[in-house]
Amino acid sequence: MNSKSFIFSIVLFSISTLTFGQVPVYDRFEYEFKSSKEYSDPIYQVQNFEIIFTSPTGVKKTVRGFWDGGNSWKVRFMPDEIGTWVFVSSSSDQENTGLNNIEGTFECTAPESDLDLFQKGPIVHFPGTYQLRHQDGTPFFWTACTAWNGALKSTSEEWEYYLKNRLENSYNTIQLVTTQWRGSEKNGEGEVAFTGSGHIQINPEFFKRIDERVEEANRKGLLVSPVILWALPFGEGTEFSPGYYLPIREAVILAKYIVARYQGNHVLWNLGGDGKYYGDLEDRWKSIGEEVFGEGKYQGLVTLHPHGLSWVGDTYEDEPWYEVYTYQSSHSKAEGTVNWINKGPISDRWSKIRPLPFINTEPLYEDIRKDASPRDIRNAWYWSVFAAPVAGITYGANGIWPWLREGEEIENHGPSGHVSRWKESLELPGSIQMGYLHEFFTSMEWWELKPATDLLVYQPGDDDFSHFVSVVANEDRSKIVLYIPIKETVEIYNMKNEMFDAKWFNPVSSSYEKAEISYDDHFLVIENIKNQDMVLVLDKFQKQ
């Protein structure tokens, strides 16, 4: 891939049709318009600025442009067909000859990068499936790291180090925040994204560092999942949750602006972060979602990041703009939390509502609790992945998400002296072992695996919540995978008395060893002899 953005300025004619260079397919086309007018309040005075792109095969895609300071307005767009694209702009201020009815073309060429995002296409969801995939159909196992403050605070050198480390450990997605919020009241330059509430002023300078961080992550082949509006409605720092305190009109204006800036990148949107999207706030969020994403505009996949132990899948399954069930199991290893993962709404509802990916995007953070061991962290991951059709998981460390440096405290979150700093946190056991989880699942046809706890003769988790055994299997049960959290003996049904090849996967060391299983009439007996959690993989012997 060409590492440079494709930025082109236009001459100020009322109507012009010009060719503006080349851009590889699935890369970002960027085009600058020069307004013929100066606006004192541009985001309100120009209520609509849209560009219609027509593909070589005649498909039309409408995207929003955005104000980038002064008289500069831009559009960013990801072409998905090779050949000549045509575009034309429209502005609510039809007298602005620099914004309205500007026509142009550009050539979309073959990909220049061998990375999956640029060879196989952006991340999409095919109706009726439970996984994310590239546009060409290749399954995408979501393996994310939570760097909420990464784009806000990191230096370019720090960001480079972080991204390189995440890639080396098999991560493929970065979760981050795109405005000031309760965890970072200003960015690294002391700037804020906007000021005001009932009437806001957007600060384009704030977003330019985020532009660089998002583009660099994509350039390395990493998907970015930006939180548009942090939305926590309770606790310390709600005054820094724009998704909570902004009026709906201003929340929509800000969200549309952010979407316009990053719609040309490889992103999966989190419309809200840590929010309450049900009850008295349900109508608010459905209105915002419809306004921002419900107009048939080309933008990419959208989800909501709910506050801990809240389930909104049933509430939003009929919202056409909502396309990934994400949830947060919160930062506890207590019985209520564990049972919520294993026996709660995800395991109960996945087969009863619209098929979409189910992903825990905020399980128990590493280093957030002194009494949470690496095994507790792994438990939360594996239980979550096994609770619904396999789709992915997110890692979080209490020193990485705030981008914690020496001498700093986590803003609005209480004392954090015991927490490892962000760079140290990259080497924590869980930080490494998340990569092992990714490698384990992507070594098999993971997209065929769905919950199969009905295979268990007896569920140990019914006696002790921490002993819960998770099971997934493919449709014909020729592959069965069990997560056994402790040293324990487990029985599963084998009604046809089939023979299996059995191996253990060690999630601590990413190693395999042969497993010994006992065959009884219509049963398999499995004994985890390790004093730790283990994963058992059973593959039915194929008839010769």
Side-chain angles (χ1 to χ4, degrees), residues 305-310 327-332 336-338 340-341 346 360-364 380-381 384 393:
H305 182 65
H307 70 77
L309 301 183
S310 63
Y327 61 95
Q328 176 188 168
S329 62
S330 82
H331 308 293
S332 170
T337 299
V338 172
W340 191 87
I341 295 173
I346 292 84
N360 189 347
T361 52
E362 194 169 331
L364 177 58
W381 303 342
S384 298
I393 190 68

Side-chain angles (χ1 to χ4, degrees), residues 245-277:
Y245 71 77
L246 285 180
I248 289 178
R249 182 185 71 159
E250 275 58 43
V252 168
I253 288 171
L254 179 59
K256 285 183 175 180
Y257 183 86
I258 293 169
V259 169
R261 282 200 85 103
Y262 303 109
Q263 66 197 353
N265 289 96
H266 289 274
V267 296
L268 189 151
W269 301 105
N270 262 308
L271 175 57
D274 242 359
K276 177 186 176 186
Y277 308 120

Side-chain angles (χ1 to χ4, degrees), residues 61-269:
K61 298 185 177 185
T62 302
V63 301
R64 301 184 187 97
F66 63 94
W67 173 64
D68 200 34
N71 287 342
S72 176
W73 295 70
K74 292 181 179 178
V75 64
R76 290 171 176 166
F77 174 71
M78 183 188 298
D80 59 0
E81 291 183 26
I82 294 174
T84 302
W85 285 76
V86 177
F87 63 89
V88 60
S89 67
S90 65
S91 170
S92 54
D93 184 353
Q94 296 185 8
E95 296 179 357
N96 190 324
T97 57
L99 301 184
N100 193 57
N101 206 26
I102 301 299
E103 299 178 359
T105 67
F106 68 91
E107 291 297 317
C108 181
T109 62
E112 297 180 1
S113 169
D114 59 0
L115 296 171
D116 283 354
L117 287 179
F118 304 99
Q119 285 287 332
K120 300 177 179 180
I123 304 305
V124 299
H125 173 253
F126 290 93
T129 69
Y130 292 96
Q131 305 80 32
L132 297 171
R133 294 177 182 266
H134 288 275
Q135 187 166 293
D136 74 349
T138 304
F140 178 84
F141 184 87
W142 171 285
T143 310
C145 184
T146 306
W148 297 137
N149 280 349
L152 302 178
K153 290 181 61 178
S154 68
T155 65
S156 57
E157 293 78 14
E158 288 174 338
W159 193 240
E160 175 76 16
Y161 183 95
Y162 167 75
L163 296 179
K164 184 173 182 291
N165 178 279
R166 298 296 79 179
L167 285 167
E168 289 172 350
N169 287 282
S170 300
Y171 291 80
N172 56 25
T173 303
I174 306 298
Q175 299 178 175
L176 52 81
V177 178
T178 56
T179 69
Q180 72 267 24
W181 67 295
R182 67 189 294 260
S184 185
E185 298 176 17
K186 296 180 180 179
N187 72 5
E189 289 74 41
E191 302 270 3
V192 294
F194 68 96
T195 55
S197 177
H199 187 98
I200 63 173
Q201 298 284 333
I202 285 177
N203 175 16
E205 289 302 312
F206 173 93
F207 292 98
K208 291 179 181 178
R209 70 160 18 245
I210 299 180
D211 294 353
E212 294 173 0
R213 302 301 184 268
V214 171
E215 183 70 3
E216 183 60 26
N218 280 178
R219 190 179 296 126
K220 286 180 164 50
L222 291 158
L223 177 69
V224 174
S225 186
V227 174
I228 300 172
L229 302 169
W230 200 263
L232 189 71
F234 36 69
E236 189 176 0
T238 55
E239 68 272 26
F240 299 107
S241 288
Y244 171 65
Y245 71 77
L246 285 180
I248 289 178
R249 182 185 71 159
E250 275 58 43
V252 168
I253 288 171
L254 179 59
K256 285 183 175 180
Y257 183 86
I258 293 169
V259 169
R261 282 200 85 103
Y262 303 109
Q263 66 197 353
N265 289 96
H266 289 274
V267 296
L268 189 151
W269 301 105

Side-chain angles (χ1 to χ4, degrees), residues 174-455:
I174 306 298
Q175 299 178 175
L176 52 81
V177 178
T178 56
T179 69
Q180 72 267 24
W181 67 295
R182 67 189 294 260
S184 185
E185 298 176 17
K186 296 180 180 179
N187 72 5
E189 289 74 41
E191 302 270 3
V192 294
F194 68 96
T195 55
S197 177
H199 187 98
I200 63 173
Q201 298 284 333
I202 285 177
N203 175 16
E205 289 302 312
F206 173 93
F207 292 98
K208 291 179 181 178
R209 70 160 18 245
I210 299 180
D211 294 353
E212 294 173 0
R213 302 301 184 268
V214 171
E215 183 70 3
E216 183 60 26
N218 280 178
R219 190 179 296 126
K220 286 180 164 50
L222 291 158
L223 177 69
V224 174
S225 186
V227 174
I228 300 172
L229 302 169
W230 200 263
L232 189 71
F234 36 69
E236 189 176 0
T238 55
E239 68 272 26
F240 299 107
S241 288
Y244 171 65
Y245 71 77
L246 285 180
I248 289 178
R249 182 185 71 159
E250 275 58 43
V252 168
I253 288 171
L254 179 59
K256 285 183 175 180
Y257 183 86
I258 293 169
V259 169
R261 282 200 85 103
Y262 303 109
Q263 66 197 353
N265 289 96
H266 289 274
V267 296
L268 189 151
W269 301 105
N270 262 308
L271 175 57
D274 242 359
K276 177 186 176 186
Y277 308 120
Y278 56 92
D280 60 321
L281 296 180
E282 178 182 334
D283 288 344
R284 169 184 172 85
W285 283 101
K286 286 185 175 179
S287 296
I288 294 173
E290 176 63 26
E291 285 285 328
V292 177
F293 293 108
E295 302 171 6
K297 300 294 189 296
Y298 168 80
Q299 268 116 9
L301 297 179
V302 186
T303 188
L304 290 162
H305 182 65
H307 70 77
L309 301 183
S310 63
W311 168 246
V312 298
D314 289 81
T315 306
Y316 288 85
E317 70 157 327
D318 293 328
E319 296 297 310
W321 52 267
Y322 181 83
E323 294 181 274
V324 185
Y325 299 121
T326 58
Y327 61 95
Q328 176 188 168
S329 62
S330 82
H331 308 293
S332 170
K333 61 176 189 174
E335 181 174 3
T337 299
V338 172
N339 284 339
W340 191 87
I341 295 173
N342 291 324
K343 300 179 178 181
I346 292 84
S347 64
D348 177 61
R349 299 298 299 162
W350 73 262
S351 63
K352 301 171 185 174
I353 57 178
R354 175 166 58 119
L356 294 175
F358 289 73
I359 303 173
N360 189 347
T361 52
E362 194 169 331
L364 177 58
Y365 280 162
E366 193 163 20
D367 212 23
I368 195 170
R369 301 174 56 96
K370 293 181 180 180
D371 63 344
S373 67
R375 184 168 71 176
D376 294 323
I377 307 298
R378 292 192 303 274
N379 285 168
W381 303 342
Y382 282 89
W383 282 331
S384 298
V385 174
F386 281 60
V390 173
I393 190 68
T394 293
Y395 170 77
N398 207 35
I400 295 176
W401 75 258
W403 213 260
L404 198 61
R405 301 186 180 100
E406 288 299 328
E408 293 181 344
E409 297 283 348
I410 303 175
E411 294 182 40
N412 300 305
H413 283 74
S416 49
H418 72 282
V419 179
S420 301
R421 308 297 100 169
W422 75 267
K423 186 177 284 190
E424 298 169 341
S425 299
L426 295 176
E427 307 305 325
L428 291 172
S431 179
I432 306 301
Q433 290 162 8
M434 175 61 77
Y436 299 161
L437 180 153
H438 174 92
E439 292 162 6
F440 169 72
F441 278 105
T442 56
S443 69
M444 65 185 76
E445 294 178 333
W446 57 268
W447 54 92
E448 296 182 354
L449 302 175
K450 295 179 180 179
T453 51
D454 59 300
L455 286 171

